[in-house]
Amino acid sequence: MTSDAYAELASVGPYGVRPGHALITLVEPHPGHEYAYNRWYEDDHFIAGAMAMPWMYAGRRWVATRELQLLRYPGKSAIAQPVTAGCYLSVYWLTEGRYADHMRWTVGINKRLLRDGRVYQDRTHIFTAFQDHEATVYRDGAAGPRDHHALDHPYAGLALEVIESEGPEQREELLAWLRSRHLPRRLAGSPAAMVTVFRPTPLPSDRMSYVKQVEGVDTRLTLLWFLESDPRECWDPCFTGLDGEVAAAGLGRVEFMAPFIPTIPGTDQYVAELR
């Protein structure tokens, strides 16, 4: 592609700052490959396979040590089998309205990376999906960082929650309940500064073969809780029992609730604590 073509592409289409879409990917390195996987992802893939792509403007990696894995629930999860599977979580923001453009690029670059031997095969995708932004609920109203700052702000932890509604129509009811009642009440006085809510979108048919098609496209919601304190310090008072509250509302069930802490880029911190 010539420089003139790049200039033409830059002159058209949306270019706002809102995170209209996200890539949320939970991965389990195979036993014995933890250090090699971590170095490949940080030293190569985070950049060449993500941040260097058009319209992907923020990204951050998170890790679940064994101690954090054991806090997850429910024990029988439709997301992770066993529920402790998935050590590393990466989250990326995409510019609103640019999902299709980004996908054309990402499919192409991942084919090239695979051909060039730059894809680490000794890993399993536990939960990988592009998702569309549905809502952000803030604890402090207009004060504090916005959702487009969330992956750059030094949050101390993240909780990933996946809720399965009873059906497509119930998902709309579930979203309305989360936005207006459940999340504002749970956020008040908590260490969570905001919750972003997404719904998964199907992966393209020409996706890489090692990434399975997304399930629950019409029924699931994915929530990201951004925490100002270490989740190990606040898990019991703040996050246990969320599944019961969702079930009591009669709108769905929590299929995955999992805490993470941020990785320290350029290091192998926490790798020895995964098993």
Side-chain angles (χ1 to χ4, degrees), residues 27-170:
V27 172
E28 177 77 5
H30 295 173
H33 292 266
E34 294 86 357
Y35 282 94
Y37 168 80
N38 187 54
R39 292 273 44 86
W40 164 77
Y41 201 101
E42 285 202 346
D43 296 342
D44 188 8
H45 197 64
F46 184 82
I47 299 168
M51 295 306 301
M53 297 192 199
W55 309 115
M56 183 172 271
Y57 68 89
R60 195 166 191 187
R61 293 185 74 216
W62 311 82
V63 61
T65 63
R66 186 62 180 173
E67 182 182 7
L68 289 163
Q69 294 165 33
L70 294 175
L71 296 176
R72 296 177 179 181
Y73 65 85
K76 293 183 178 180
S77 168
I79 304 300
Q81 301 88 34
V83 72
T84 52
C87 299
Y88 285 104
L89 175 70
S90 295
V91 180
Y92 303 94
W93 289 165
L94 279 71
T95 302
E96 185 175 30
R98 290 294 191 172
Y99 173 73
D101 295 336
H102 174 81
M103 286 305 298
R104 293 182 66 185
W105 187 284
T106 193
V107 169
I109 198 66
N110 276 287
K111 288 181 178 179
R112 181 180 179 185
L113 291 169
L114 183 63
R115 185 182 67 240
D116 292 347
R118 290 173 63 181
V119 174
Y120 200 89
Q121 300 288 1
D122 289 295
R123 57 176 173 148
T124 299
H125 282 265
I126 304 300
F127 179 73
T128 293
F130 283 89
Q131 313 224 10
D132 288 340
H133 180 256
E134 286 286 353
T136 300
V137 181
Y138 297 99
R139 182 192 60 201
D140 303 324
R146 302 293 87 188
D147 51 14
H148 52 274
H149 304 131
L151 299 181
D152 298 312
H153 188 79
Y155 286 113
L158 177 79
L160 168 64
E161 180 179 14
V162 181
I163 305 177
E164 183 86 38
S165 67
E166 297 301 325
E169 293 182 1
Q170 287 79 5

Side-chain angles (χ1 to χ4, degrees), residues 168-188:
E169 293 182 1
Q170 287 79 5
R171 185 170 71 175
E172 293 304 313
E173 296 179 55
L174 172 63
L175 177 61
W177 175 74
L178 289 170
R179 294 178 68 171
S180 64
R181 298 178 61 186
H182 179 65
L183 294 179
R185 182 175 62 82
R186 273 290 183 167
L187 284 169

